[in-house]
Amino acid sequence: GQQVMQIPQYQHVQEGEDFTTYCNSSTTLSNIQWYKQRPGGHPVFLIQLVKSGEVKKQKRLTFQFGEAKKNSSLHITATQTTDVGTYFCAGQISLGAQKLVFGQGTRLTINP
Amino acid sequence: DADVTQTPRNRITKTGKRIMLECSQTKGHDRMYWYRQDPGLGLRLIYYSFDVKDINKGEISDGYSVSRQAQAKFSLSLESAIPNQTALYFCATSDWTAKRYTFGSGTRLTVV
């Protein structure tokens, strides 16, 4: 079945350093979504990417969708302690597809 | 009030007991999902429902059952709980496009 692999599983950085998490799918995706889960919380939707090669920014967060629509990345510039949490990518095979397939998540911890 | 409400928030139960986790939503969404979260494994889909008359198995449905009592209510049952079902359980909803999921706050289940 469809798989979405996400790396790294864990990342620890000093506050102010950059952070990147990568997502790869075994199949071409219709779109990819990113979620953030704060410690003790639930996943919260961040963004959706639909177009091949798309790049979107939210303040210090930059999201990319690969040209082949099989991979994606989330980059955080100059991390802050509020960025702590687990970041999940989730891929959808086609519009209206039955379900999202989530990556394993990358847990980000930050040393202030 | 939360858009997606899960009860209980925490539950400790004994091996062999039957337990039900409940989810209700005020989003008006047709689609509802049950996920299980384990460290390092991300979010894995247990069951999903596209409407009251539609129930589908996810990737890890063994040992679980569900009931969609109404558009707004989707419950997950463990007929005979076992310790490896100890996990964090999330309910989520989406519209038909599945462009974004809204998650409940989760139920932390411990089976002893």
Side-chain angles (χ1 to χ4, degrees), chain B residues 42-77:
Chain B
L43 295 161
R44 294 183 292 167
L45 184 63
I46 307 172
Y47 270 95
Y48 59 102
S49 169
F50 283 178
D51 63 41
V52 175
K53 297 180 181 179
D54 178 80
I55 302 289
N56 304 279
K57 292 183 177 181
E59 57 182 307
I60 55 164
S61 60
D62 287 349
Y64 301 94
S65 63
V66 292
S67 174
R68 185 82 184 266
Q69 301 96 324
Q71 187 206 34
K73 295 183 182 296
F74 192 36
S75 60
L76 175 72
S77 294

PDB file of all heavy atoms in Angstrom, chain B residues 42-77:
ATOM      1  N   GLY B  42       3.957   7.211  14.209  1.00  0.00           N
ATOM      2  CA  GLY B  42       3.070   8.215  13.643  1.00  0.00           C
ATOM      3  C   GLY B  42       1.614   7.919  13.920  1.00  0.00           C
ATOM      4  O   GLY B  42       1.257   7.329  14.937  1.00  0.00           O
ATOM      5  N   LEU B  43       0.768   8.319  12.984  1.00  0.00           N
ATOM      6  CA  LEU B  43      -0.676   8.140  13.103  1.00  0.00           C
ATOM      7  C   LEU B  43      -1.101   7.027  12.159  1.00  0.00           C
ATOM      8  O   LEU B  43      -0.908   7.119  10.952  1.00  0.00           O
ATOM      9  CB  LEU B  43      -1.392   9.446  12.731  1.00  0.00           C
ATOM     10  CG  LEU B  43      -1.131  10.621  13.670  1.00  0.00           C
ATOM     11  CD1 LEU B  43      -1.478  11.929  12.982  1.00  0.00           C
ATOM     12  CD2 LEU B  43      -1.944  10.457  14.933  1.00  0.00           C
ATOM     13  N   ARG B  44      -1.679   6.014  12.711  1.00  0.00           N
ATOM     14  CA  ARG B  44      -2.132   4.888  11.899  1.00  0.00           C
ATOM     15  C   ARG B  44      -3.653   4.797  11.941  1.00  0.00           C
ATOM     16  O   ARG B  44      -4.259   4.867  12.996  1.00  0.00           O
ATOM     17  CB  ARG B  44      -1.505   3.584  12.395  1.00  0.00           C
ATOM     18  CG  ARG B  44       0.020   3.528  12.203  1.00  0.00           C
ATOM     19  CD  ARG B  44       0.570   2.187  12.637  1.00  0.00           C
ATOM     20  NE  ARG B  44       0.458   1.998  14.079  1.00  0.00           N
ATOM     21  CZ  ARG B  44       0.624   0.825  14.691  1.00  0.00           C
ATOM     22  NH1 ARG B  44       0.880  -0.259  13.976  1.00  0.00           N
ATOM     23  NH2 ARG B  44       0.541   0.748  16.002  1.00  0.00           N
ATOM     24  N   LEU B  45      -4.234   4.594  10.766  1.00  0.00           N
ATOM     25  CA  LEU B  45      -5.682   4.627  10.605  1.00  0.00           C
ATOM     26  C   LEU B  45      -6.307   3.306  11.041  1.00  0.00           C
ATOM     27  O   LEU B  45      -5.910   2.230  10.583  1.00  0.00           O
ATOM     28  CB  LEU B  45      -6.025   4.921   9.149  1.00  0.00           C
ATOM     29  CG  LEU B  45      -7.493   5.081   8.799  1.00  0.00           C
ATOM     30  CD1 LEU B  45      -8.094   6.285   9.524  1.00  0.00           C
ATOM     31  CD2 LEU B  45      -7.656   5.239   7.294  1.00  0.00           C
ATOM     32  N   ILE B  46      -7.306   3.396  11.907  1.00  0.00           N
ATOM     33  CA  ILE B  46      -7.993   2.204  12.410  1.00  0.00           C
ATOM     34  C   ILE B  46      -9.259   1.951  11.588  1.00  0.00           C
ATOM     35  O   ILE B  46      -9.451   0.876  11.031  1.00  0.00           O
ATOM     36  CB  ILE B  46      -8.353   2.354  13.898  1.00  0.00           C
ATOM     37  CG1 ILE B  46      -7.128   2.728  14.726  1.00  0.00           C
ATOM     38  CG2 ILE B  46      -8.971   1.060  14.428  1.00  0.00           C
ATOM     39  CD1 ILE B  46      -7.453   3.076  16.181  1.00  0.00           C
ATOM     40  N   TYR B  47     -10.139   2.931  11.551  1.00  0.00           N
ATOM     41  CA  TYR B  47     -11.378   2.865  10.784  1.00  0.00           C
ATOM     42  C   TYR B  47     -11.714   4.259  10.282  1.00  0.00           C
ATOM     43  O   TYR B  47     -11.304   5.250  10.864  1.00  0.00           O
ATOM     44  CB  TYR B  47     -12.548   2.385  11.667  1.00  0.00           C
ATOM     45  CG  TYR B  47     -12.770   0.898  11.711  1.00  0.00           C
ATOM     46  CD1 TYR B  47     -12.217   0.133  12.745  1.00  0.00           C
ATOM     47  CD2 TYR B  47     -13.552   0.259  10.757  1.00  0.00           C
ATOM     48  CE1 TYR B  47     -12.429  -1.237  12.805  1.00  0.00           C
ATOM     49  CE2 TYR B  47     -13.770  -1.125  10.819  1.00  0.00           C
ATOM     50  CZ  TYR B  47     -13.205  -1.864  11.848  1.00  0.00           C
ATOM     51  OH  TYR B  47     -13.422  -3.220  11.907  1.00  0.00           O
ATOM     52  N   TYR B  48     -12.515   4.288   9.216  1.00  0.00           N
ATOM     53  CA  TYR B  48     -13.024   5.576   8.755  1.00  0.00           C
ATOM     54  C   TYR B  48     -14.424   5.403   8.195  1.00  0.00           C
ATOM     55  O   TYR B  48     -14.819   4.295   7.794  1.00  0.00           O
ATOM     56  CB  TYR B  48     -12.089   6.222   7.722  1.00  0.00           C
ATOM     57  CG  TYR B  48     -11.832   5.435   6.466  1.00  0.00           C
ATOM     58  CD1 TYR B  48     -12.473   5.751   5.278  1.00  0.00           C
ATOM     59  CD2 TYR B  48     -10.890   4.395   6.462  1.00  0.00           C
ATOM     60  CE1 TYR B  48     -12.209   5.041   4.116  1.00  0.00           C
ATOM     61  CE2 TYR B  48     -10.629   3.682   5.302  1.00  0.00           C
ATOM     62  CZ  TYR B  48     -11.283   4.011   4.131  1.00  0.00           C
ATOM     63  OH  TYR B  48     -11.019   3.306   2.978  1.00  0.00           O
ATOM     64  N   SER B  49     -15.138   6.510   8.158  1.00  0.00           N
ATOM     65  CA  SER B  49     -16.542   6.488   7.748  1.00  0.00           C
ATOM     66  C   SER B  49     -16.820   7.715   6.898  1.00  0.00           C
ATOM     67  O   SER B  49     -16.492   8.835   7.303  1.00  0.00           O
ATOM     68  CB  SER B  49     -17.435   6.485   8.987  1.00  0.00           C
ATOM     69  OG  SER B  49     -18.789   6.714   8.639  1.00  0.00           O
ATOM     70  N   PHE B  50     -17.440   7.505   5.746  1.00  0.00           N
ATOM     71  CA  PHE B  50     -17.747   8.622   4.865  1.00  0.00           C
ATOM     72  C   PHE B  50     -19.154   9.160   5.102  1.00  0.00           C
ATOM     73  O   PHE B  50     -19.463  10.272   4.708  1.00  0.00           O
ATOM     74  CB  PHE B  50     -17.580   8.221   3.409  1.00  0.00           C
ATOM     75  CG  PHE B  50     -16.156   8.158   2.961  1.00  0.00           C
ATOM     76  CD1 PHE B  50     -15.822   7.765   1.680  1.00  0.00           C
ATOM     77  CD2 PHE B  50     -15.129   8.479   3.834  1.00  0.00           C
ATOM     78  CE1 PHE B  50     -14.493   7.709   1.270  1.00  0.00           C
ATOM     79  CE2 PHE B  50     -13.799   8.429   3.440  1.00  0.00           C
ATOM     80  CZ  PHE B  50     -13.485   8.036   2.147  1.00  0.00           C
ATOM     81  N   ASP B  51     -20.023   8.347   5.644  1.00  0.00           N
ATOM     82  CA  ASP B  51     -21.322   8.808   6.098  1.00  0.00           C
ATOM     83  C   ASP B  51     -21.892   7.745   7.023  1.00  0.00           C
ATOM     84  O   ASP B  51     -21.244   6.729   7.275  1.00  0.00           O
ATOM     85  CB  ASP B  51     -22.270   9.142   4.939  1.00  0.00           C
ATOM     86  CG  ASP B  51     -22.605   7.948   4.056  1.00  0.00           C
ATOM     87  OD1 ASP B  51     -22.830   6.836   4.595  1.00  0.00           O
ATOM     88  OD2 ASP B  51     -22.656   8.129   2.834  1.00  0.00           O
ATOM     89  N   VAL B  52     -23.098   7.960   7.488  1.00  0.00           N
ATOM     90  CA  VAL B  52     -23.676   7.080   8.506  1.00  0.00           C
ATOM     91  C   VAL B  52     -23.734   5.630   8.035  1.00  0.00           C
ATOM     92  O   VAL B  52     -23.569   4.704   8.828  1.00  0.00           O
ATOM     93  CB  VAL B  52     -25.071   7.588   8.902  1.00  0.00           C
ATOM     94  CG1 VAL B  52     -25.744   6.621   9.854  1.00  0.00           C
ATOM     95  CG2 VAL B  52     -24.973   8.949   9.552  1.00  0.00           C
ATOM     96  N   LYS B  53     -23.917   5.421   6.755  1.00  0.00           N
ATOM     97  CA  LYS B  53     -24.063   4.055   6.249  1.00  0.00           C
ATOM     98  C   LYS B  53     -22.781   3.476   5.678  1.00  0.00           C
ATOM     99  O   LYS B  53     -22.788   2.404   5.074  1.00  0.00           O
ATOM    100  CB  LYS B  53     -25.157   4.020   5.178  1.00  0.00           C
ATOM    101  CG  LYS B  53     -26.534   4.398   5.698  1.00  0.00           C
ATOM    102  CD  LYS B  53     -27.570   4.341   4.590  1.00  0.00           C
ATOM    103  CE  LYS B  53     -28.945   4.734   5.110  1.00  0.00           C
ATOM    104  NZ  LYS B  53     -29.975   4.704   4.042  1.00  0.00           N
ATOM    105  N   ASP B  54     -21.678   4.190   5.856  1.00  0.00           N
ATOM    106  CA  ASP B  54     -20.420   3.774   5.246  1.00  0.00           C
ATOM    107  C   ASP B  54     -19.337   3.632   6.303  1.00  0.00           C
ATOM    108  O   ASP B  54     -18.971   4.604   6.958  1.00  0.00           O
ATOM    109  CB  ASP B  54     -19.996   4.808   4.201  1.00  0.00           C
ATOM    110  CG  ASP B  54     -18.672   4.450   3.563  1.00  0.00           C
ATOM    111  OD1 ASP B  54     -18.671   3.599   2.659  1.00  0.00           O
ATOM    112  OD2 ASP B  54     -17.640   5.000   3.976  1.00  0.00           O
ATOM    113  N   ILE B  55     -18.837   2.414   6.485  1.00  0.00           N
ATOM    114  CA  ILE B  55     -17.764   2.134   7.443  1.00  0.00           C
ATOM    115  C   ILE B  55     -16.681   1.361   6.695  1.00  0.00           C
ATOM    116  O   ILE B  55     -16.980   0.417   5.968  1.00  0.00           O
ATOM    117  CB  ILE B  55     -18.266   1.269   8.617  1.00  0.00           C
ATOM    118  CG1 ILE B  55     -19.425   1.955   9.347  1.00  0.00           C
ATOM    119  CG2 ILE B  55     -17.118   0.951   9.568  1.00  0.00           C
ATOM    120  CD1 ILE B  55     -19.037   3.160  10.145  1.00  0.00           C
ATOM    121  N   ASN B  56     -15.431   1.771   6.910  1.00  0.00           N
ATOM    122  CA  ASN B  56     -14.331   1.127   6.214  1.00  0.00           C
ATOM    123  C   ASN B  56     -13.194   0.821   7.171  1.00  0.00           C
ATOM    124  O   ASN B  56     -12.894   1.633   8.057  1.00  0.00           O
ATOM    125  CB  ASN B  56     -13.793   2.039   5.103  1.00  0.00           C
ATOM    126  CG  ASN B  56     -14.872   2.433   4.139  1.00  0.00           C
ATOM    127  OD1 ASN B  56     -15.226   1.681   3.245  1.00  0.00           O
ATOM    128  ND2 ASN B  56     -15.428   3.628   4.321  1.00  0.00           N
ATOM    129  N   LYS B  57     -12.540  -0.313   6.956  1.00  0.00           N
ATOM    130  CA  LYS B  57     -11.384  -0.660   7.764  1.00  0.00           C
ATOM    131  C   LYS B  57     -10.168   0.125   7.309  1.00  0.00           C
ATOM    132  O   LYS B  57      -9.971   0.350   6.118  1.00  0.00           O
ATOM    133  CB  LYS B  57     -11.090  -2.155   7.653  1.00  0.00           C
ATOM    134  CG  LYS B  57     -12.143  -3.035   8.298  1.00  0.00           C
ATOM    135  CD  LYS B  57     -11.727  -4.506   8.212  1.00  0.00           C
ATOM    136  CE  LYS B  57     -12.758  -5.388   8.918  1.00  0.00           C
ATOM    137  NZ  LYS B  57     -12.358  -6.827   8.865  1.00  0.00           N
ATOM    138  N   GLY B  58      -9.350   0.494   8.279  1.00  0.00           N
ATOM    139  CA  GLY B  58      -8.074   1.104   7.985  1.00  0.00           C
ATOM    140  C   GLY B  58      -6.982   0.062   8.013  1.00  0.00           C
ATOM    141  O   GLY B  58      -7.225  -1.127   7.869  1.00  0.00           O
ATOM    142  N   GLU B  59      -5.763   0.522   8.244  1.00  0.00           N
ATOM    143  CA  GLU B  59      -4.621  -0.395   8.174  1.00  0.00           C
ATOM    144  C   GLU B  59      -4.453  -1.262   9.410  1.00  0.00           C
ATOM    145  O   GLU B  59      -3.801  -2.311   9.347  1.00  0.00           O
ATOM    146  CB  GLU B  59      -3.342   0.407   7.918  1.00  0.00           C
ATOM    147  CG  GLU B  59      -3.059   1.474   8.947  1.00  0.00           C
ATOM    148  CD  GLU B  59      -1.804   2.292   8.625  1.00  0.00           C
ATOM    149  OE1 GLU B  59      -0.744   1.691   8.406  1.00  0.00           O
ATOM    150  OE2 GLU B  59      -1.904   3.539   8.641  1.00  0.00           O
ATOM    151  N   ILE B  60      -5.062  -0.886  10.539  1.00  0.00           N
ATOM    152  CA  ILE B  60      -4.881  -1.669  11.764  1.00  0.00           C
ATOM    153  C   ILE B  60      -6.212  -1.888  12.477  1.00  0.00           C
ATOM    154  O   ILE B  60      -6.361  -1.598  13.649  1.00  0.00           O
ATOM    155  CB  ILE B  60      -3.862  -0.996  12.711  1.00  0.00           C
ATOM    156  CG1 ILE B  60      -4.270   0.447  13.019  1.00  0.00           C
ATOM    157  CG2 ILE B  60      -2.458  -1.042  12.138  1.00  0.00           C
ATOM    158  CD1 ILE B  60      -3.529   1.026  14.220  1.00  0.00           C
ATOM    159  N   SER B  61      -7.185  -2.439  11.809  1.00  0.00           N
ATOM    160  CA  SER B  61      -8.534  -2.567  12.362  1.00  0.00           C
ATOM    161  C   SER B  61      -8.728  -3.781  13.271  1.00  0.00           C
ATOM    162  O   SER B  61      -9.705  -3.837  14.036  1.00  0.00           O
ATOM    163  CB  SER B  61      -9.553  -2.613  11.226  1.00  0.00           C
ATOM    164  OG  SER B  61      -9.285  -3.719  10.375  1.00  0.00           O
ATOM    165  N   ASP B  62      -7.824  -4.743  13.228  1.00  0.00           N
ATOM    166  CA  ASP B  62      -8.005  -5.956  14.044  1.00  0.00           C
ATOM    167  C   ASP B  62      -8.072  -5.603  15.525  1.00  0.00           C
ATOM    168  O   ASP B  62      -7.231  -4.884  16.039  1.00  0.00           O
ATOM    169  CB  ASP B  62      -6.853  -6.935  13.802  1.00  0.00           C
ATOM    170  CG  ASP B  62      -6.954  -7.609  12.450  1.00  0.00           C
ATOM    171  OD1 ASP B  62      -8.017  -7.483  11.803  1.00  0.00           O
ATOM    172  OD2 ASP B  62      -5.979  -8.258  12.041  1.00  0.00           O
ATOM    173  N   GLY B  63      -9.089  -6.153  16.209  1.00  0.00           N
ATOM    174  CA  GLY B  63      -9.244  -5.901  17.630  1.00  0.00           C
ATOM    175  C   GLY B  63     -10.098  -4.688  17.948  1.00  0.00           C
ATOM    176  O   GLY B  63     -10.355  -4.394  19.111  1.00  0.00           O
ATOM    177  N   TYR B  64     -10.541  -3.994  16.897  1.00  0.00           N
ATOM    178  CA  TYR B  64     -11.361  -2.795  17.064  1.00  0.00           C
ATOM    179  C   TYR B  64     -12.665  -2.928  16.279  1.00  0.00           C
ATOM    180  O   TYR B  64     -12.737  -3.661  15.296  1.00  0.00           O
ATOM    181  CB  TYR B  64     -10.620  -1.559  16.554  1.00  0.00           C
ATOM    182  CG  TYR B  64      -9.298  -1.272  17.215  1.00  0.00           C
ATOM    183  CD1 TYR B  64      -8.107  -1.740  16.648  1.00  0.00           C
ATOM    184  CD2 TYR B  64      -9.236  -0.525  18.386  1.00  0.00           C
ATOM    185  CE1 TYR B  64      -6.888  -1.471  17.246  1.00  0.00           C
ATOM    186  CE2 TYR B  64      -8.015  -0.244  18.981  1.00  0.00           C
ATOM    187  CZ  TYR B  64      -6.840  -0.727  18.404  1.00  0.00           C
ATOM    188  OH  TYR B  64      -5.632  -0.458  18.999  1.00  0.00           O
ATOM    189  N   SER B  65     -13.668  -2.188  16.704  1.00  0.00           N
ATOM    190  CA  SER B  65     -14.892  -2.033  15.926  1.00  0.00           C
ATOM    191  C   SER B  65     -15.378  -0.605  16.102  1.00  0.00           C
ATOM    192  O   SER B  65     -14.933   0.103  17.013  1.00  0.00           O
ATOM    193  CB  SER B  65     -15.982  -3.023  16.385  1.00  0.00           C
ATOM    194  OG  SER B  65     -16.346  -2.766  17.726  1.00  0.00           O
ATOM    195  N   VAL B  66     -16.248  -0.173  15.195  1.00  0.00           N
ATOM    196  CA  VAL B  66     -16.745   1.198  15.257  1.00  0.00           C
ATOM    197  C   VAL B  66     -18.240   1.216  15.028  1.00  0.00           C
ATOM    198  O   VAL B  66     -18.830   0.266  14.504  1.00  0.00           O
ATOM    199  CB  VAL B  66     -16.063   2.119  14.221  1.00  0.00           C
ATOM    200  CG1 VAL B  66     -14.602   2.353  14.553  1.00  0.00           C
ATOM    201  CG2 VAL B  66     -16.230   1.560  12.814  1.00  0.00           C
ATOM    202  N   SER B  67     -18.826   2.346  15.393  1.00  0.00           N
ATOM    203  CA  SER B  67     -20.238   2.591  15.151  1.00  0.00           C
ATOM    204  C   SER B  67     -20.413   4.056  14.794  1.00  0.00           C
ATOM    205  O   SER B  67     -19.906   4.928  15.496  1.00  0.00           O
ATOM    206  CB  SER B  67     -21.056   2.247  16.399  1.00  0.00           C
ATOM    207  OG  SER B  67     -22.410   2.612  16.224  1.00  0.00           O
ATOM    208  N   ARG B  68     -21.131   4.316  13.706  1.00  0.00           N
ATOM    209  CA  ARG B  68     -21.436   5.693  13.318  1.00  0.00           C
ATOM    210  C   ARG B  68     -22.918   5.914  13.620  1.00  0.00           C
ATOM    211  O   ARG B  68     -23.802   5.624  12.823  1.00  0.00           O
ATOM    212  CB  ARG B  68     -21.153   5.889  11.820  1.00  0.00           C
ATOM    213  CG  ARG B  68     -21.317   7.339  11.349  1.00  0.00           C
ATOM    214  CD  ARG B  68     -20.127   8.162  11.636  1.00  0.00           C
ATOM    215  NE  ARG B  68     -20.305   9.556  11.268  1.00  0.00           N
ATOM    216  CZ  ARG B  68     -19.931  10.083  10.097  1.00  0.00           C
ATOM    217  NH1 ARG B  68     -19.361   9.319   9.178  1.00  0.00           N
ATOM    218  NH2 ARG B  68     -20.120  11.357   9.856  1.00  0.00           N
ATOM    219  N   GLN B  69     -23.159   6.447  14.781  1.00  0.00           N
ATOM    220  CA  GLN B  69     -24.536   6.550  15.282  1.00  0.00           C
ATOM    221  C   GLN B  69     -25.307   7.676  14.606  1.00  0.00           C
ATOM    222  O   GLN B  69     -26.540   7.644  14.533  1.00  0.00           O
ATOM    223  CB  GLN B  69     -24.531   6.793  16.799  1.00  0.00           C
ATOM    224  CG  GLN B  69     -23.841   5.697  17.606  1.00  0.00           C
ATOM    225  CD  GLN B  69     -22.392   6.024  17.919  1.00  0.00           C
ATOM    226  OE1 GLN B  69     -21.682   6.619  17.109  1.00  0.00           O
ATOM    227  NE2 GLN B  69     -21.940   5.628  19.105  1.00  0.00           N
ATOM    228  N   ALA B  70     -24.575   8.666  14.145  1.00  0.00           N
ATOM    229  CA  ALA B  70     -25.183   9.823  13.489  1.00  0.00           C
ATOM    230  C   ALA B  70     -24.064  10.513  12.732  1.00  0.00           C
ATOM    231  O   ALA B  70     -22.888  10.160  12.871  1.00  0.00           O
ATOM    232  CB  ALA B  70     -25.803  10.764  14.527  1.00  0.00           C
ATOM    233  N   GLN B  71     -24.412  11.502  11.940  1.00  0.00           N
ATOM    234  CA  GLN B  71     -23.372  12.206  11.206  1.00  0.00           C
ATOM    235  C   GLN B  71     -22.329  12.769  12.164  1.00  0.00           C
ATOM    236  O   GLN B  71     -21.138  12.792  11.863  1.00  0.00           O
ATOM    237  CB  GLN B  71     -23.950  13.350  10.375  1.00  0.00           C
ATOM    238  CG  GLN B  71     -22.898  13.995   9.476  1.00  0.00           C
ATOM    239  CD  GLN B  71     -23.197  15.449   9.134  1.00  0.00           C
ATOM    240  OE1 GLN B  71     -23.757  16.176   9.950  1.00  0.00           O
ATOM    241  NE2 GLN B  71     -22.831  15.856   7.943  1.00  0.00           N
ATOM    242  N   ALA B  72     -22.772  13.184  13.323  1.00  0.00           N
ATOM    243  CA  ALA B  72     -21.869  13.863  14.243  1.00  0.00           C
ATOM    244  C   ALA B  72     -21.168  12.938  15.225  1.00  0.00           C
ATOM    245  O   ALA B  72     -20.330  13.387  15.994  1.00  0.00           O
ATOM    246  CB  ALA B  72     -22.655  14.926  15.020  1.00  0.00           C
ATOM    247  N   LYS B  73     -21.485  11.662  15.231  1.00  0.00           N
ATOM    248  CA  LYS B  73     -20.958  10.770  16.263  1.00  0.00           C
ATOM    249  C   LYS B  73     -20.336   9.511  15.670  1.00  0.00           C
ATOM    250  O   LYS B  73     -20.956   8.823  14.845  1.00  0.00           O
ATOM    251  CB  LYS B  73     -22.073  10.386  17.242  1.00  0.00           C
ATOM    252  CG  LYS B  73     -22.618  11.552  18.038  1.00  0.00           C
ATOM    253  CD  LYS B  73     -23.661  11.087  19.030  1.00  0.00           C
ATOM    254  CE  LYS B  73     -24.251  12.244  19.812  1.00  0.00           C
ATOM    255  NZ  LYS B  73     -23.233  12.911  20.663  1.00  0.00           N
ATOM    256  N   PHE B  74     -19.131   9.215  16.147  1.00  0.00           N
ATOM    257  CA  PHE B  74     -18.390   8.054  15.646  1.00  0.00           C
ATOM    258  C   PHE B  74     -17.653   7.468  16.836  1.00  0.00           C
ATOM    259  O   PHE B  74     -16.764   8.109  17.385  1.00  0.00           O
ATOM    260  CB  PHE B  74     -17.418   8.524  14.557  1.00  0.00           C
ATOM    261  CG  PHE B  74     -16.778   7.438  13.740  1.00  0.00           C
ATOM    262  CD1 PHE B  74     -17.456   6.286  13.391  1.00  0.00           C
ATOM    263  CD2 PHE B  74     -15.476   7.609  13.270  1.00  0.00           C
ATOM    264  CE1 PHE B  74     -16.859   5.318  12.592  1.00  0.00           C
ATOM    265  CE2 PHE B  74     -14.872   6.643  12.463  1.00  0.00           C
ATOM    266  CZ  PHE B  74     -15.560   5.498  12.130  1.00  0.00           C
ATOM    267  N   SER B  75     -17.999   6.266  17.235  1.00  0.00           N
ATOM    268  CA  SER B  75     -17.382   5.680  18.421  1.00  0.00           C
ATOM    269  C   SER B  75     -16.512   4.490  18.047  1.00  0.00           C
ATOM    270  O   SER B  75     -16.767   3.779  17.063  1.00  0.00           O
ATOM    271  CB  SER B  75     -18.454   5.258  19.425  1.00  0.00           C
ATOM    272  OG  SER B  75     -19.321   4.306  18.845  1.00  0.00           O
ATOM    273  N   LEU B  76     -15.489   4.295  18.838  1.00  0.00           N
ATOM    274  CA  LEU B  76     -14.516   3.213  18.641  1.00  0.00           C
ATOM    275  C   LEU B  76     -14.596   2.281  19.838  1.00  0.00           C
ATOM    276  O   LEU B  76     -14.555   2.737  20.971  1.00  0.00           O
ATOM    277  CB  LEU B  76     -13.104   3.778  18.521  1.00  0.00           C
ATOM    278  CG  LEU B  76     -11.961   2.776  18.425  1.00  0.00           C
ATOM    279  CD1 LEU B  76     -11.964   2.097  17.067  1.00  0.00           C
ATOM    280  CD2 LEU B  76     -10.623   3.482  18.663  1.00  0.00           C
ATOM    281  N   SER B  77     -14.697   0.977  19.578  1.00  0.00           N
ATOM    282  CA  SER B  77     -14.775   0.010  20.659  1.00  0.00           C
ATOM    283  C   SER B  77     -13.625  -0.985  20.588  1.00  0.00           C
ATOM    284  O   SER B  77     -13.210  -1.395  19.501  1.00  0.00           O
ATOM    285  CB  SER B  77     -16.094  -0.769  20.602  1.00  0.00           C
ATOM    286  OG  SER B  77     -17.187   0.080  20.859  1.00  0.00           O
TER     287      SER B  77
END
